[in-house]
Amino acid sequence: MITDVESVNIAVSGSTTLDWGVGDRHHQGLQDEVAGTDLFVVSLGGNDFLHYVQDLFASGGMQGLIDALGGEAREEALAILERVLAIVESIRAVNADADFVFLLYPDYPASNNWQTLIRANAGSLADAAISLIQNEFATIMRVLADRLADEELVAVDLYRQTMAEDIDPFLIDELHFTEFGHQRVADEIFLSLGGIAVGDAELEQSYQVGLR
């Protein structure tokens, strides 16, 4: 059966989990959409982690960032995810029938954009830094996936997807998707929800995806 679907994008560029909880500045805009929504696609928390990394770099440079890769970064990522899940629960308190999709981040450290940025800032530590960041990012994605396995939502594993493909065509810069990247994410969401791709037809979906 084919039906019309209304997609509403309420993402706010630069926002963090601290902006969307109960009583926070974007919460009312979220609540305005809750009652009549069947499915929420959640990509939130990336800016929280970005600020965390920027603070590490500002205080200790590349070495300070590398020093945090022994476990502290995983704890921070989990704390951010817990705030996201608290926002999900605040939505469920109003709309118990809503379904949720959570987007795990793609393999950003494998991209030329990320590796160029790391090399520009790491100097002689560049190769070691790239290896450490790739390994820690993989561990963080596994930790987040394990935590999400305990939740009643669909986790769309963009990390796994982009490990199997060249990530560079997905990205327009260090964080945000190209038109091709948006389309591939939409395809992955569709398939993760039980959709079946027939022929070469593409999904027509437009929304902001990245570190939101």
Side-chain angles (χ1 to χ4, degrees):
M1 180 179 68
I2 298 176
T3 187
D4 292 330
V5 175
E6 180 184 5
S7 176
V8 178
N9 176 21
I10 61 170
V12 178
S13 180
S15 63
T16 72
T17 56
L18 300 176
D19 297 315
W20 293 93
V22 176
D24 296 329
R25 59 177 177 163
H26 296 316
H27 185 73
Q28 187 56 54
L30 173 61
Q31 289 297 103
D32 291 343
E33 300 293 338
V34 167
T37 299
D38 298 311
L39 175 69
F40 290 87
V41 178
V42 182
S43 178
L44 181 65
N47 280 321
D48 299 66
F49 201 74
L50 181 62
H51 294 326
Y52 166 74
V53 170
Q54 288 173 335
D55 289 345
L56 285 174
F57 193 82
S59 61
M62 184 58 68
Q63 188 61 54
L65 177 58
I66 291 173
D67 290 343
L69 299 182
E72 178 187 328
R74 297 170 214 174
E75 294 175 5
E76 180 68 18
L78 277 171
I80 293 167
L81 179 59
E82 292 301 330
R83 294 200 293 272
V84 174
L85 294 175
I87 295 168
V88 168
E89 288 308 308
S90 74
I91 295 172
R92 284 195 170 122
V94 178
N95 183 351
D97 296 325
D99 292 317
F100 293 85
V101 166
F102 184 87
L103 304 182
L104 282 164
Y105 294 117
D107 188 14
Y108 284 121
S111 70
N112 285 332
N113 285 325
W114 272 50
Q115 295 194 13
T116 298
L117 184 63
I118 294 168
R119 291 189 184 282
N121 290 279
S124 61
L125 295 173
D127 289 339
I130 288 171
S131 179
L132 284 169
I133 289 170
Q134 286 180 319
N135 290 337
E136 184 64 16
F137 196 86
T139 299
I140 289 172
M141 291 302 101
R142 287 196 297 271
V143 168
L144 296 184
D146 288 345
R147 174 64 184 88
L148 289 167
D150 297 328
E151 297 295 318
E152 293 183 5
L153 50 73
V154 176
V156 176
D157 194 347
L158 301 180
Y159 181 76
R160 175 194 55 76
Q161 178 193 13
T162 50
M163 283 188 69
E165 301 182 41
D166 179 6
I167 191 174
D168 289 318
F170 281 66
L171 300 177
I172 197 169
D173 56 22
E174 289 85 358
L175 303 176
H176 301 103
F177 288 143
T178 59
E179 182 177 350
F180 171 81
H182 280 281
Q183 184 61 58
R184 292 294 290 113
V185 172
D187 293 344
E188 196 71 8
I189 292 171
F190 179 72
L191 294 174
S192 296
L193 291 171
I196 300 174
V198 178
D200 296 327
E202 293 185 343
L203 298 175
E204 293 296 332
Q205 174 67 292
S206 177
Y207 56 95
Q208 293 183 353
V209 176
L211 289 183
R212 311 305 300 168

